[in-house]
């Protein structure tokens, strides 16, 4: 029995010693160790690292890796994705590209911005940008309009030499949005935002039961219902001005009224 205990203790010690080594052997991209946002990037849509708008996400990876992040975008917002890649000291010409996909994993086109750029040999970094179209509260099923929900960002190198493959790089990502207001509002809304796992959410659940969605991030004010926008305010102001104009026009066009009766011979 004593031999068994000694052997068990030895195996436990070896297991504890091997645990840090297994944790340190995580595949790239790994933590970069600086910045206030996430310090790691995913390697696929399912493992995309969640980042809030306004945060700066960083990751240390190898040239040739696919880096994935995800962020929430709500109706009326026009997201802008900016990515910076710090390249090795010595390298050949490299072409990098940033792609954005919506909650249905449909690739979204950029209104403007340098989505693809080529860094010359020896360049210190390359900067990419993609300004998406305004997120709509509702759209036709056949349309490719951006809808409220989770968006995915993929950053990778398209063209690089074999000698540069596997060299370490530092990536930085930041997402910000501009509120476009009621000018882009539409009638209608989605029943649920396009976030991962929303289809598996139970139909009836208590308030204290955990949600079944996979994505934890959402806009600060929550997902909008889709019906309210500042367009209603301008509609009310326009209606009041139209009524005032009608009253003023009536007073100007009605004339002095019935003429006064003038006695004969006056």
């Amino acid at each position: 029995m004593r031999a068994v205990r000694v052997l068990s203790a030895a195996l436990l010690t070896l297991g504890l010693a091997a645990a840090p080594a297994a944790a340190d052997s995580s595949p790239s991209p790994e933590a970069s160790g600086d910045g206030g946002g996430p310090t790691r990037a995913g390697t696929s849509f399912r493992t995309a690292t969640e980042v809030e708008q306004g945060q700066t996400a960083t990751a240390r990876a190898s040239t040739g890796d696919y880096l994935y992040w995800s962020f929430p975008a709500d109706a009326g917002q026009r997201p802008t994705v900016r990515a910076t890649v710090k390249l090795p000291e010595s390298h050949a010409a490299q072409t990098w590209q940033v792609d954005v996909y919506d909650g249905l994993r449909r690739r979204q086109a950029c209104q403007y911005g340098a989505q693809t750029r080529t860094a010359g040999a020896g360049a210190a970094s390359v900067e990419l940008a993609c300004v998406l179209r305004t997120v709509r509260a509702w759209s036709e099923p056949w349309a490719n309009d951006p809808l409220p929900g989770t968006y995915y960002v993929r950053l990778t190198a398209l063209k690089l030499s074999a000698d540069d493959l596997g060299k370490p790089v530092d990536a930085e990502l930041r997402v910000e949005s501009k509120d476009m207001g009621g000018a882009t509002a539409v009638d209608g809304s989605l029943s649920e935002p396009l976030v991962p796992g929303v289809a598996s959410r139970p139909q009836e659940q208590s308030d204290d039961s955990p949600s079944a969605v996979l994505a934890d991030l959402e806009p600060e004010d929550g997902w909008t219902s889709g019906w309210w926008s500042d367009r209603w305010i301008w509609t009310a102001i326009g209606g009041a001005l139209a009524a005032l104009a009608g009253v003023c026009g009536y007073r100007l066009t009605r004339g002095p009224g019935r003429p006064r009766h003038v006695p004969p011979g006056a």
Side-chain angles (χ1 to χ4, degrees):
M1 291 296 294
R2 184 176 184 181
V4 173
R5 292 177 181 176
V6 173
L7 181 60
S8 300
L11 291 176
L12 180 60
T13 303
L14 290 176
L16 293 176
D24 294 339
S25 61
S26 57
S28 61
E30 59 184 11
S32 62
D34 55 357
T39 57
R40 190 178 298 272
T43 56
S44 66
F45 285 102
R46 294 183 61 86
T47 61
T49 299
E50 294 181 341
V51 55
E52 295 181 358
Q53 293 193 28
Q55 283 187 332
T56 300
T58 57
R60 183 168 299 144
S62 300
T63 306
D65 288 343
Y66 285 84
L67 309 181
Y68 286 83
W69 292 273
S70 65
F71 66 93
D74 205 0
Q77 293 182 342
R78 189 179 67 184
T80 299
V81 179
R82 303 184 186 276
T84 303
V85 183
K86 298 179 181 179
L87 304 174
E89 294 182 359
S90 60
H91 62 84
Q94 299 181 5
T95 301
W96 287 78
Q97 179 171 305
V98 59
D99 297 301
V100 183
Y101 300 83
D102 64 4
L104 299 177
R105 299 186 185 180
R106 303 176 301 181
R107 185 176 180 273
Q108 293 294 321
C110 302
Q111 276 190 319
Y112 52 88
Q115 182 181 6
T116 304
R117 270 189 172 177
T118 300
S125 62
V126 58
E127 296 182 357
L128 307 169
C130 176
V131 180
L132 298 176
R133 294 174 295 167
T134 303
V135 179
R136 295 166 56 91
W138 178 85
S139 178
E140 295 288 348
W142 47 262
N144 195 34
D145 297 324
L147 297 171
T150 300
Y151 282 75
Y152 299 91
V153 180
R154 183 178 69 184
L155 177 65
T156 188
L158 297 181
K159 298 180 181 178
L160 65 157
S161 63
D163 295 336
D164 292 336
L165 189 63
K167 287 186 177 181
V169 294
D170 290 328
E172 184 176 292
L173 179 82
R174 186 176 181 86
V175 181
E176 295 178 337
S177 288
K178 179 180 179 181
D179 190 1
M180 303 305 295
T184 59
V186 295
D187 295 329
S189 63
L190 299 179
S191 59
E192 294 285 353
L194 299 178
V195 297
V198 68
S200 62
R201 178 183 296 173
Q203 296 296 330
E204 296 182 358
Q205 58 180 359
S206 59
D207 296 338
D208 56 351
S209 60
S211 177
V213 299
L214 301 179
D216 295 330
L217 293 182
E218 64 178 26
E220 294 181 358
D221 300 332
W223 301 105
T224 58
S225 60
W227 67 271
W228 169 256
S229 67
D230 55 4
R231 184 176 60 175
W232 290 98
I233 299 177
W234 291 108
T235 301
I237 294 176
L241 292 177
L244 182 62
V247 172
C248 294
Y250 172 75
R251 293 179 64 89
L252 291 175
T253 57
R254 71 173 182 172
R258 296 178 60 183
R260 294 181 301 171
H261 177 69
V262 179

